[in-house]
Amino acid sequence: MMSRSYTNLLDLASGNFPVMGQPREKKRLPRVMTVPGVISELDDDQANSVASDVPSSIIQDRIIIVANQLPVKAKRRPDNKGWSFSWDDDSLLLQLKDGLPEEMEVLYVGSLKVDVDPSEQDDVSQLLLDRFKCVPAFLPPDILTKFYHGFCKQHLWPLFHYMLPFSANHGGRFYRSLWEAYVAANKIFSQRVIEVINPEDDYVWIHDYHLMVLPTFLRRRFNRLRMGFFLHSPFPSSEIYRTLPVREEILKALLNSDLIGFHTFDYARHFLSCCSRMLGLEYQSKRGYIGLEYYGRTIGIKIMPVGIHMAQIESVLRLADKEWRVGELKQQFEGKTVLLGVDDMDVFKGVNLKLLAMEQMLKQHPKWQGRAVLVQIANPARGRGQDLEEIQAEITASCKRINETFRQPGYEPIVFIDRPVSLSERVAYYSVAECVVVTAVRDGMNLTPYEYIVCRQGVSESESSSESSGSKKSMLVVSEFIGCSPSLSGAIRVNPWNIETTAEAMNEAISMADAEKQLRHEKHYRYVSSHDVAFWSRSFFQDMERTCKDHFRRRCWGIGLSFGFRVVALDPNFRKLSIDHIVSVYLRSKNRAILLDYDGTVMPQTSHNKTPSSEVISIINTLSSDIKNTIFVVSGRGRDSLAQWFSPCKKLGIAAEHGYFMRWSANDNWEVCGQNSEFGWKEIAEPVMKLYTEATDGSSIETKESALVWHHRDADPGFGSSQAKEMLDHLESVLANEPVTVKSGQFIVEVKPQGVSKGVVAEKIFTTMAESGRQADFVLCIGDDRSDEEMFEIISSAISSGVLSSNTSVFACTVGQKPSKAKYYLDDPAEVVNMLESLAEASDPEPFSDTRSEDSI
């Protein structure tokens, strides 16, 4: 058995854990990968990334669809020797092929619904691969139990449907051993994918909550893999999701996908809110697409509800209409108005709420007694547990009570069907139902209304023309908490917890005029028939292609341990600054311009003591004392702090408050570089900021000589961001006629004079040097945040305008591996200081004598 004492998930994520009940080592499936190196090197469990520049031998694109279960049916042969397999036509995984390009090969990876003896697994694997292009993942029984019935069904499934484990008997408590089994199962799935993948040509599409950490396992091996994930269940609000002990591990694992799909905007909004609150990530919407920037990669967010397989329903419908079952049902319910419910037997489908609403309708509207019948089909339960047993007992009691109360000769108001019902028989029930009622309290999608709409349309086409117009009508009463609700605008939406309003909705639905039913049906049918499963899969795949189109153009690094692993994707021209290279260029140059940001560049952001160390002071003093150097600290901090900290550096230039104040050396006076020195606008802006500060707990105002900054880093992320956007609009409105700019940044809103930026400082330094006959032939510019990008950007325009020579050696360098206009990066302030120290050692400092006039600089 696996120990519960794991606390470091590095072992789990890298595969270094004892697998419970692992059978003997099996043969690997034939590998079709075309990566350089020896195949055996890829079979180990090390998280080595595989990225090849060698063209693949396979030109044709292929997609690998990974899900918990394969789209095949398996049964033992009559002689009990071996297995027979067939496609499961009801499987969404099989149906989605209709939306993929015809020439695209589809490979499936998943588990089987049956237990296969370890001695038969090799033969079964080969058979499924050869005949069905399926790769089975065999989970040891103890892992399977803890993975599926444990973590998936007892913890994730209830939590994603808003059931918190307040007690051991209500929902599933989190147990570390179940999480470890979940990780172990996902790793087994990843191994099966790795055995057959060609990472440069294949797409991978992962399905549902069973495999949410699989993207990390695959991304660790293949940095540039094109990978999508679709969640078929709801994604809960951040208030619910944040109770999950492994919340960040799962979020970060999902973010290793390139595209993440959800049925509704609500589910996507909840996911984005979790990313914002727990990881500090903000999404952007551009040209209709939602994206999350994550270490240089843009993860697409896809919102598209799945549809039904039209051809399958219509095919069954044509057969069902000729079968005896339809005629039998019409005879059975002759003279009755049939309401139909088709639900899985689980605690979230609200079946008992539907029964209570039916009871209420019969009480409130006695005219339906003896006439209205609710046929409730209950598909077999897929889970198990005490909650399910309780709800089954409750449903049985309600059926018995309602039937005893309203029973008449030849009439029972509730017909409860508690057995498996085939699609063909289900279609027969759809054909006689005047209304379908769905009262789930939470459901990812629920395709029952879609099936019903298509069946009502299909039945009318197969009947005589005299009945045709009357048959092309349908009515729906649907819970507002199910995924298909937003797309069914003609349905009567209800809060299933409100029994009275649900009962009134059911009465309204079956009492509605036929003409109105027909109009609503036509509207629904147009949507359902055009947004089928093929439309859904085609749309998802096209977005995955678009999201992944730059994969092989960018340079990628895998960083981080365990589920903190992520891939940093950067422009191919973006590279780490070589100290040896910059020192050699530095030694050859004669006129050098060095511009340094302070916080986050030479001083770590996390440091509470912001005073520069003696080492930093010594290095900068040495650099500024070299007659060939013009060196500036360019910071958003106030001039008094900077002047005090760097007082030993007599020749150091300082640009404070993003360049509003500027001096060339300690003996020079401060220049005001802004276009306007009037600050009357502060009397307008400050009261507005105070208003928002009072209303936003955790926010504060920073008053500078030239600017006002509103900080909301410590406020609630969602509310703070919302208030910042509102304040930005407010300030722009009231300051429209003032000589200031209003900008938002990382947890700030800043008001500052126009024409003040670090870019303007850089341009002024380069221009002054050129005008004095000392045009810079070496430029080093280092910064870590958004304001420093303005310095990097100005360098290109300075070269274009001739302020800098085209032969100038430019080292624009950002701190940290992230998207930037800079061409170079260093990992952290320690590396920046190390690099500056190397330049200082190569410098030729001269004793300070203040013989320069400002014009000679």
Side-chain angles (χ1 to χ4, degrees), residues 36 41 63 79 111 209 280 285 344 350-351 379 394 535 545 553 608 621 638 756 776 780 817:
E41 293 174 356
I63 189 166
D79 59 4
S111 63
Y209 66 97
S285 182
D344 292 340
V351 174
N379 300 319
E394 191 177 340
F535 178 87
E545 282 187 308
R553 187 184 66 82
H608 293 288
N621 199 21
V756 175
L780 172 61
Q817 298 180 32

Side-chain angles (χ1 to χ4, degrees), residues 539-552:
S539 179
F540 187 90
F541 180 71
Q542 287 172 349
D543 271 21
M544 187 155 56
E545 282 187 308
R546 177 186 55 79
T547 306
C548 301
K549 69 180 186 301
D550 291 334
H551 266 32
F552 295 99

Side-chain angles (χ1 to χ4, degrees), residues 327-344:
E328 185 183 63
L329 291 176
K330 287 181 178 178
Q331 183 178 354
Q332 178 183 350
F333 297 112
E334 187 176 3
K336 306 290 191 301
T337 299
V338 177
L339 296 96
L340 178 65
V342 181
D343 301 278
D344 292 340

